[in-house]
Structure formats: structure tokens, C-alpha cells
Amino acid sequence: MAKYFVKRVLLAIVTIFIITVIAFFTMNAIPGGPFNSEKASSPQVKAALEARYNLDKPLLEQYVIYVQGLFHGDMGISTKTGRDIAQTILESFKVSATVGGMAAAIAIVCGIVFGSIAALKRNTVIDRIIVFLSTLATAVPSFVLATILLYVFSMKLGWFQVWSADSHNYVLPVIALSLYPMSYITRLTKTSMLDALGQDYVRTAKAKGVSQVLVIFKHALRNALIPVITYVGPMIASILTGSMVVESIFTLGGLGSKFVTSITNRDYPMIMGTTIFLAVLMVGMNLISDLVYKLVDPRITFD
Amino acid sequence: MSDNNMPKKNPLSMQIDLSKFEKATEEEKRQQDVMSESSTFFKDSMKKLFKNPLAIFSIIVLVAIILVIIFAPMVVPYGYSEILKVNGVRDKTAMNLGPFQFSENEQKYMAETGIKLFPHIFGTDELSRDYFIRVVYGTRVSLAVGFFASIIVLIIGVLYGSISGYAGGRIDLIMMRIVDVIYSLPDMLVIILLSVVLKEVLNDSNGIIAKLGTNMVSIFIVFGLLYWVGMARLVRGQILSVKENEYVLAAKSIGAKPGRIIWKHILPNCLSVIIITTALQIPSAIFTESFLSFIGLGVAAPMPSLGSLANTAREGIQSYPYKLFFPALTICLIVLALNLLGDGLRDALDPKLKK
């Protein structure tokens, strides 16, 4: 167990390191720098600005300086806005985390409930409806869904206000983000629940006279949730990054849209900051779900 | 010799007296034919697939869409980047027409000359281009990207996975650690970074790449770099179990080379897993492409893709909501049909995999 744990943590650290390398060198490979446009009025100003951000040094040295700063908790200053990166990231992450967290919670709870219902009411009308809707929902891209929701419920019906500085309405973005993972979890739970219900230990429990409710919750569901756990970690991570499009459609100004705009602005420190932040988040989530998976299922051996 | 040429027989002998037999009638002979013809694994699975109504539905939808995207450009007299002209003059009234509408100039032209112009089935876009043909070309691009990206994933994944699984030992260990690292890279981040870089870098080059469109090439490169790992893992797992079989040992003992053993003996036994994974890879590639096009990193204008069409439609959704409908519906239909077909293939080829 301890060996497996150490191995996974090391792998995660290596992954994050590789991501920083990829991000740093690909970002420098994009033609054009942060001061190529309107900001630098003359070559002297440009040179001064580049010296301030260490851009005049060789690439490798820049990378070393950046990583050293990172270990001291310094993510640098944005070349576009001049603001502290760490602070900007935390602010926009608050928005992403709120929307994404709600979406993830709804997706997990509703997905497990619908999936269990579909499995328990197998081959009934309820099962068919749930399967039909969840199949349909996995075919709709989130940006199409978000646009339609925004158009119908905000613009036409006026039920929800469009997002602005003083009106924070989370309903539509949360629906747009949660629908796909919800239907995925529904399908996953259904198949694994059916699998669990056919197992010998469920029959034994029934034969012992355990009540229906207890059989479902204590024996079947607990075992059916194991595959769901493996999906939840990467799902939360992908909700937080895949939300770029949904965030920009609803103009939430979250972390995902910050990442995209920082690339178009060639805002080097901001690109690095958001990349590392998101990468740590995602790799961490994967790690946690892997470890939890091994912890809850004693049948899995550690290699 | 006695009658019917039989040797003289002992009353107690068990020898059969042929004269007491009746010849089978034609009808009785036919009854023996109920045994079905010998069937191969593939024929069997295809039979199963065609019994699945959802799979048939998706095949029909896909064939219909493919026929439309092949033949529509031959029938419709408009180009995907062509700005509408009436009588050789640019038609300024043809912007943002509704489905099956004609612009004022076109109506005037038709009234004057009596020539019937081809209708704008989905209307026109904000630059007076026929929207139907743009959606058709967008579907072409999206399907092509999905298909070729899956082929790239297939080739790299199968090659890598089979080498790693067959070689085993230290080579396998190192190759799989590389896969582990790539597997845990956050794909969206890397895709966005890479496609920005590749778009800019490839822009300077020319030749085939310029013809294909740099963004298209960068999408393929991104897929080739990131998405093969799932396939490689699957193939390796399959090979690990298949290579323990006796027929592999037999092939080895008569001196077959590893390449031949993998190609002739091992891979055919992993075929169902490979087919299923490839079928399910196509919709995910189409999703990724439309996502990239939506945030402006997909195929380059004026070439449309379903994602970029949806994005343009979003900007004008207040006035022309139906414009989102056509590309969005096409994406949903394609992805739905491919998903259902993939599920059907999985059920038909490998019932054990139904999880």
C-alpha cells in the first residue's frame, strides 16, 4: 500500500513537472511576445519591459528563474494587467469552483439516483425514459446546450438574468455543466448496479431475510459505486477545465476563460500560472480518485 | 449370387438388408438442410448487429448524412465560401435570409428572366453565403477530422501497445510509464496550448500542410500525441493475455518472427476490442474538434466546421436563432448515431465487455 502510494505521488509530481516544461517551451514557441503590440512604444521601452520580466535572458535561465520563484510561492506579475498572478487566479477560481462544485455535486447525486432507479426498475417505462434521455444528453456538446439555455431561458423567457457584476445567477451555467457528467454517471451506475444485483452476496442477503432497502443500500449500491469513484475524480477536473466554453458563453470570467485569454494576450506568467494551477488540480484529483478506489475495494491488489 | 447382389446371410447376423430400405423423398432430403451454413465469427457478429434496431437506425442516419455530404455539393450550385451573386453582380440584399427565402435581387432577376434559381435551403449567412452548403462542408470537415484522428489513434496505439505487450520486461515497464505520464496530462490544457503553437508555427510552412489547412493538421498532431494512450493500454492488455496461448508458442517454435506472430496470430484475436474502441473514438474526436473550433482554434476560415458554424450562429442568436439549430442538430445526430453504433458493435462483437 505504502509503496503504491509513494509510486503514484511520484508519478503525479513527474507529470506536473512535465506539464510545466511543455507549457513553458510551447508558450515561448508561439510567435510574438507580450510586448510586441501597442504596449511598447519604442525599442528602448520594449527592451526595458523585457528586462523587467527577465525575457531578455536565455530560455533555460528564464525557466529556472520561474521555477525558483514558484518554490517561493511567487507566480509573478501579469504582463498584461500588471497584477499579481496568484491573486488573479484565486479570484477567478472562486467563480469556477462555485459553479463547478455545484455542477459536480448535482451530477453525482442525480446520476447515482437515476442510475439506481433505472437498474431497479429494469425494463419498465421509467428505465426506458432514463436511458433514452441520458443517451441523448451525451450527444449534445456543452457549448450548444449552454447557448440554447441562455437563449431560451434568459433572452426569450426572461426567467434568469444574464450574468453581470451584481447579478450572480448560477442556475443555467450549472445545468449546462452538469448534464453531460450526470448522464454519464447515470449510465455507469445503471450497469454496475445491475451487475451487483446479480451477485451471489445479494442473493444470500435476500435469502437471510434482509429487507429490500437494506439490500439495495448496504449490499448492492456500495459495490456498484466503485466504478463511479474512478470516474468522479477526472470528471471534477474536466468540469473545471471544460468549463472554459460554458464560462465564456455565460461571461462568468472564471479560470478557464482566463487561461484562453492569457494565451491570446501572450501573457507568459499568466499562461504558466493558470496551467500549473489547473494541472495540479487535475493531477491531484486523478490521484485522489485512484487512491480512494484502491482503499474502498479490498479485492484490488497493489502492484 | 442371390437377388440384389447381397451375399448369403446368416439369420442371426447383424448385417443390414439394403432391400428393406426406402429411398428418402425430396421433401425428406430437404429437411436435412435446416442446418445453417457454417458461419465465421465476423458474420455472426454482423448478424447480431443487424438485429439491433438502434444500430440499424444509426447506420441509416450515418449513411444518409454521408450521402448528403457527398452529393449535395454536386447538386447545389453554390460554393461554401462563395458570396452570392445575381447576374454576375454581388447581391447585397442576400444577407441573413431565412430558409427557402430569395433575396430581393434574386426575386427581381427570376421575375425578369423566368429562370428559376436554386433555393437557399437553410437560408444564407451574414456574408451572403448559402448556409446549407456551409453546413454540408462543415459536416464534411467534422466527419473527416473524426475519422482520420481515429485512424491515427488506431495506428499509433496498436503499434505501441503491441510492441510493449509482446516485448514485456523492462521495455514494457518503460513504455508503460511513458503512457502513464501522457495519460495523466490534462488533455484540454495541452490541446489548447499545442493547437495555438502549431497553428502559428505551421502557418509559415507551405506545400501539403498549407493545402490541408494548418489547423486541421494541428488537430491531427494533437490527437496523435495525446489520445493514443487509451488504445495502447487496451491493446497491451489484450496481447498480454493472448500471447500465453499455445498457438503462439507453436508459431514461435517453428521460427516465426515476432512481427509475424503479432500481425498474424495475436492481433486478429484482439480485433473486436480495437474495432469497438475506434468506433467510440470518432464521436469523441468530433466533440474535441467542434470544441476547438468553437473557441476559435479549429479549422481556418473560410472553411467551415460544425463547431465554428455554431460559434458564429451564437453571436447572432438574438436575431437568427434557427442558424444555431442546423449545425447543432447535425453534431448531435452524428455523435448520437456513432455512440449507438459503437454500443451496438460492442454488444455484437464482445458481449463480455458490456459494462
Side-chain angles (χ1 to χ4, degrees), chain A residues 7 11 14-15 18-19 22-23 26-27 29-31 135-136 138-144 147-148 151 155-156 180 187 191 195 241-242 244-245 248-249 259-260 263 266 271 274-275 278-279 282-283 286, chain B residues 177 180-181 183-190 192-194 196-197 200-201 204 287 290-291 294-295 297 306-307 310-311 313-314 317-319 321 324 328-329 331-333 335-336 339-340 343 346 354-355:
Chain A
K7 206 177 97 184
L11 189 67
V14 171
T15 311
I18 291 175
I19 294 166
I22 294 179
T26 47
M27 136 189 128
I30 309 175
T135 314
L136 209 62
T138 43
V140 184
S142 61
F143 58 84
V144 169
T147 316
I148 293 172
Y151 176 69
M155 294 177 182
K156 283 282 139 176
Y180 182 88
R187 295 173 64 172
T191 41
D195 202 37
T241 38
M244 281 166 215
V245 168
S248 72
I249 290 175
F259 176 65
V260 177
I263 292 181
R266 306 277 185 277
I271 298 177
T274 38
T275 310
L278 288 172
M282 281 189 254
V283 173
N286 277 335
Chain B
R177 281 298 90 78
D180 281 348
V181 170
Y183 201 77
S184 51
L185 288 180
D187 47 355
M188 270 307 156
L189 282 184
V190 182
I192 291 173
L193 268 175
L194 279 182
V196 172
V197 176
E200 302 276 347
V201 172
D204 306 332
F287 250 29
S290 64
F291 174 85
F294 191 82
I295 57 176
L297 295 171
L306 291 175
N311 190 27
R314 184 177 65 90
I317 192 153
Q318 292 265 28
S319 341
L324 177 69
L329 184 75
I331 301 182
C332 296
L333 262 182
V335 172
L336 186 64
N339 274 337
L340 290 176
D343 285 352
R346 185 189 53 198
K354 197 175 182 180
K355 277 215 163 169

Side-chain angles (χ1 to χ4, degrees), chain A residues 1-292:
Chain A
M1 179 65 204
K3 197 182 158 202
Y4 177 78
F5 183 80
V6 170
K7 206 177 97 184
R8 287 306 317 253
V9 172
L10 280 180
L11 189 67
I13 294 172
V14 171
T15 311
I16 291 169
F17 170 74
I18 291 175
I19 294 166
T20 62
V21 174
I22 294 179
F24 191 85
F25 290 99
T26 47
M27 136 189 128
N28 278 292
I30 309 175
F35 304 113
N36 281 8
S37 51
E38 77 288 345
K39 263 196 164 180
S41 44
S42 66
Q44 287 88 348
V45 174
K46 191 181 167 194
L49 277 170
E50 282 186 345
R52 183 167 165 235
Y53 288 98
N54 294 323
L55 293 176
D56 50 347
K57 298 199 172 66
L59 217 50
L60 208 61
E61 205 183 323
Q62 284 183 42
Y63 180 72
V64 173
I65 292 174
Y66 183 81
V67 173
Q68 275 172 354
L70 209 57
F71 278 114
H72 292 105
D74 176 21
M75 298 184 102
I77 302 165
S78 164
T79 56
K80 183 80 181 174
T81 58
R83 293 183 56 206
D84 186 52
I85 300 283
Q87 212 185 333
T88 318
I89 287 179
L90 279 184
E91 272 168 27
S92 49
F93 181 63
K94 263 186 209 154
V95 181
S96 294
T98 324
V99 179
M102 282 198 264
I106 289 175
I108 295 169
V109 172
C110 295
I112 291 174
V113 170
F114 290 148
S116 312
I117 291 176
L120 293 171
K121 304 266 174 195
R122 197 182 178 192
N123 290 332
T124 61
V125 183
I126 307 173
D127 173 31
R128 299 249 160 76
I129 292 174
I130 292 175
V131 169
F132 176 75
L133 288 181
S134 59
T135 314
L136 209 62
T138 43
V140 184
S142 61
F143 58 84
V144 169
L145 183 69
T147 316
I148 293 172
L149 286 176
L150 187 70
Y151 176 69
V152 174
F153 293 106
S154 282
M155 294 177 182
K156 283 282 139 176
L157 298 174
W159 290 359
F160 302 102
Q161 284 209 312
V162 179
W163 187 283
S164 62
D166 41 40
S167 129
H168 288 200
N169 198 322
Y170 289 106
V171 179
L172 294 181
V174 168
I175 294 177
L177 275 178
S178 61
L179 206 66
Y180 182 88
M182 186 169 86
S183 26
Y184 197 92
I185 292 178
T186 304
R187 295 173 64 172
L188 209 62
T189 313
K190 191 199 158 183
T191 41
S192 63
M193 188 76 174
L194 280 179
D195 202 37
L197 284 174
Q199 295 288 333
D200 288 341
Y201 52 78
V202 168
R203 202 182 317 133
T204 312
K206 274 186 191 159
K208 279 195 323 192
V210 181
S211 72
Q212 178 79 12
V213 178
L214 217 57
V215 168
I216 293 169
F217 282 97
K218 202 173 168 201
H219 296 272
L221 191 61
R222 271 179 67 178
N223 284 289
L225 286 186
I226 293 168
V228 178
I229 293 171
T230 41
Y231 176 66
V232 165
M235 176 201 80
I236 294 176
S238 84
I239 282 186
L240 290 174
T241 38
S243 61
M244 281 166 215
V245 168
V246 175
E247 277 173 12
S248 72
I249 290 175
F250 289 106
T251 55
L252 304 188
L255 200 54
S257 38
K258 279 273 181 324
F259 176 65
V260 177
T261 46
S262 70
I263 292 181
T264 37
N265 286 339
R266 306 277 185 277
D267 190 345
Y268 290 165
M270 190 71 193
I271 298 177
M272 285 306 286
T274 38
T275 310
I276 291 173
F277 187 82
L278 288 172
V280 169
L281 208 68
M282 281 189 254
V283 173
M285 283 292 171
N286 277 335
L287 182 68
I288 290 171
S289 90
D290 265 18
L291 294 177
V292 170

